[in-house]
Amino acid sequence: MLNFTVGPVQSPDKVREIGAQQVPYFRTPEFSNVMLENEALMKKFAKAPEGSRVVFITGSGTASMEASIMNSFDENDSVLVVNGGSFGHRFVQLCEVHHIPHTEIKLDAGKSLKKEMLQQYDNAGYTGFLVNVHETSTGVHYDIDMISEFCKRNKLFLVVDAVSSFLADDFDMSALDVGIMITGAQKALACPPGISVIILSPKGVERAEEHQCKCMYFDLKDALKNGERGQTPFTPAVGTLLQINARLKEIEAAGGAASETKKIAALAEDFRNKIKGLPFEIVSESMSNAVTPLHPLTASAKDIFNILKDEYGIWICPNGGDLADTVFRVGHLGYLTKEDNTTLVNAFKDLQRRGIL
């Protein structure tokens, strides 16, 4: 199968080779060194400020979203949440579950966040801001510079879910004054799912240290303490962490985060050029390099997904809910090439010849 979903994505050979090996015991100096390398490279690629820390959670991106909220906010806070799709809605749900006072900035599917939408919340007593910088369900990439400026002006603690955007789009955690950034193994890191990553700025570390988290597994104080020696409080997904280590070193050897972002951007541009003339409409007002969201004008998005999967051996990324029949997404993350783009586009053209598209 040729995989154009947005996660899990195709992995490079080195990552897959590690996945075929026996998983080693991890309470060792050797594994601690791997974890310390992982932390150093994650901070470097995110441009995290001096004194930042990294926590590796054995769980999906949602686990790190929840851990970040539980260790940063409580009933004394008031948080703004951008909800432009499934993952923005997830932040809303987490605030509801943990009784965090919040205001939802609701956006229609595919619409970007505008400066004038934020201005009404200036000097209104908010303490935090939650955003999925790339709303993966609709493909919208929000203006993080604008959001950062708003948060700096209002002294808000900014939590950014960059799960699908990390390494695909430029991101400077230090310059943006981001308190916490979240990402995951199965996107641009091109590893199997099972590990999500929380990068905490010094302000994020301070919040976690002072916060009374009502949970044992997600208490970041414990994770930060263990991380000083390159370990985790509980048994992690050891094999995936070894794969992440190999992948981070591969990215570093190829020129670092800037080089990886440039590669993904080139793949996205190539695909978007190749689909010109096909009966598709791009539905996002502002796109990430990570994914192209498409509305087929002459067929059902769900039907196209199923036919490509069953008859062509190609996965694209379907949607659920109201967007199931109207929007599918094509990812540009992982071990893909421009030749792979051509294979997918040729399949689209064949669907046209068959009268399906």
Side-chain angles (χ1 to χ4, degrees), residues 167-183:
L167 296 175
D169 305 293
D170 291 332
F171 191 87
D172 189 326
M173 189 173 173
S174 182
L176 295 167
D177 196 26
V178 172
I180 287 177
M181 191 207 86
I182 303 162
T183 191

Side-chain angles (χ1 to χ4, degrees), residues 121-136:
Y121 301 108
D122 269 316
N123 304 309
Y126 291 98
T127 59
F129 196 103
L130 302 175
V131 63
N132 314 83
V133 64
H134 177 221
E135 176 50 71
T136 322

Side-chain angles (χ1 to χ4, degrees), residues 46 49 80 96 112 157 209 231-232 267 274 339 347 355:
L80 283 168
E96 291 171 347
S112 58
F157 185 75
E209 295 285 5
Q231 287 290 332
T232 57
L267 279 172
K274 285 174 177 174
E339 290 72 28

Side-chain angles (χ1 to χ4, degrees), residues 13-69:
D13 292 345
K14 180 63 176 177
V15 168
R16 293 190 294 114
E17 287 168 8
I18 293 171
Q21 297 172 9
Q22 293 286 357
V23 177
Y25 182 63
F26 65 102
R27 300 296 192 199
T28 63
E30 291 80 8
F31 186 73
S32 291
N33 289 336
V34 166
M35 291 296 287
L36 293 171
E37 285 179 345
N38 287 350
E39 179 171 32
L41 287 169
M42 286 297 302
K43 289 193 292 186
K44 181 178 181 179
F45 293 166
K47 298 184 179 69
E50 189 71 28
S52 296
R53 295 290 308 283
V54 181
V55 172
F56 297 89
I57 298 285
T58 297
S60 70
T62 302
S64 281
M65 290 169 70
E66 185 157 26
S68 297
I69 287 176

Side-chain angles (χ1 to χ4, degrees), residues 157 227 259 262-263 315 330:
F157 185 75
S259 178
K262 184 178 179 180
K263 183 190 80 173
W315 280 315
V330 175

Side-chain angles (χ1 to χ4, degrees), residues 15 21 31 51 55 78 94 170 175 201 233 243 255 261 268 317 326 329 333 349:
V15 168
Q21 297 172 9
F31 186 73
V55 172
S78 183
L94 289 168
D170 291 332
S201 72
Q243 291 171 305
T261 300
C317 204
T326 58
R329 295 157 293 158
L333 304 175
K349 291 178 178 178

